[in-house]
Amino acid sequence: MDENPAMPTLVIGVIGADVHAVGNKILNYTFTEAGFNVVNLGVMVSQKEFVEAAIEADANAIVVSSLYGHGEIDCKGLREKCDEAGLTDIKLYVGGNLVVGKQDFNQVERVFLAMGFDRVYPPGTDPKINVEHMRQDFGM
């Protein structure tokens, strides 16, 4: 799909040592079909790689997935790294199995919002909800 300069650019990927690729492929397909410009970094993506790709693509958002339960550890400090790189206005989205064990999602959400994420999604969220929120967030 050709890039559409009128649409936001999203950098997506699975953070840390996580190799869960299916959700990433679903998000890539959904966001692309919705018209977003998508840069898909795949699996096992470091914070540095997310930030560098966002700079290179002049991205509007970074979308982080994590399914192996270590998202809280892997995502800590991402907002600060974005700010240090001059990406102070970039939207940060995160979703999946973000913590080990069954924890109250409201608490998990509070933790990630406090880390600077704009939106936090529990496991099994319909990607169409992500698209709807992004359209709201980008005034579309």
Side-chain angles (χ1 to χ4, degrees):
M1 182 177 218
D2 293 327
E3 189 170 309
N4 180 350
M7 291 296 287
T9 297
L10 314 174
V11 171
I12 73 170
V14 183
I15 199 164
D18 198 334
V19 296
H20 292 90
V22 174
N24 177 266
K25 291 179 187 299
I26 292 169
L27 290 176
N28 185 68
Y29 175 81
T30 302
F31 296 152
T32 301
E33 286 298 304
F36 292 100
N37 301 308
V38 179
V39 176
N40 187 351
L41 302 178
V43 299
M44 297 181 67
V45 182
S46 70
Q47 287 189 13
K48 181 179 179 187
E49 290 170 307
F50 275 111
V51 171
E52 288 173 351
I55 291 168
E56 185 176 329
D58 194 23
N60 303 94
I62 293 174
V63 182
V64 177
S65 298
S66 182
L67 283 178
Y68 74 146
H70 297 285
E72 183 177 356
I73 295 164
D74 292 337
C75 291
K76 193 172 205 131
L78 180 57
R79 171 59 70 191
E80 290 78 8
K81 282 185 180 60
C82 288
D83 291 350
E84 289 167 9
L87 300 172
T88 55
D89 293 333
I90 198 160
K91 297 283 186 199
L92 295 181
Y93 300 91
V94 65
N97 294 320
L98 301 173
V99 295
V100 175
K102 294 197 182 278
Q103 296 185 31
D104 176 52
F105 179 72
N106 290 324
Q107 176 58 31
V108 173
E109 182 180 39
R110 282 191 292 275
V111 167
F112 280 84
L113 291 174
M115 287 194 303
F117 283 84
D118 295 283
R119 296 207 186 244
V120 186
Y121 299 96
T125 299
D126 185 331
K128 292 175 187 170
I129 293 171
N130 302 92
V131 170
E132 183 180 313
H133 287 163
M134 288 175 182
R135 287 184 173 145
Q136 291 170 10
D137 293 348
F138 294 114
M140 301 168 63

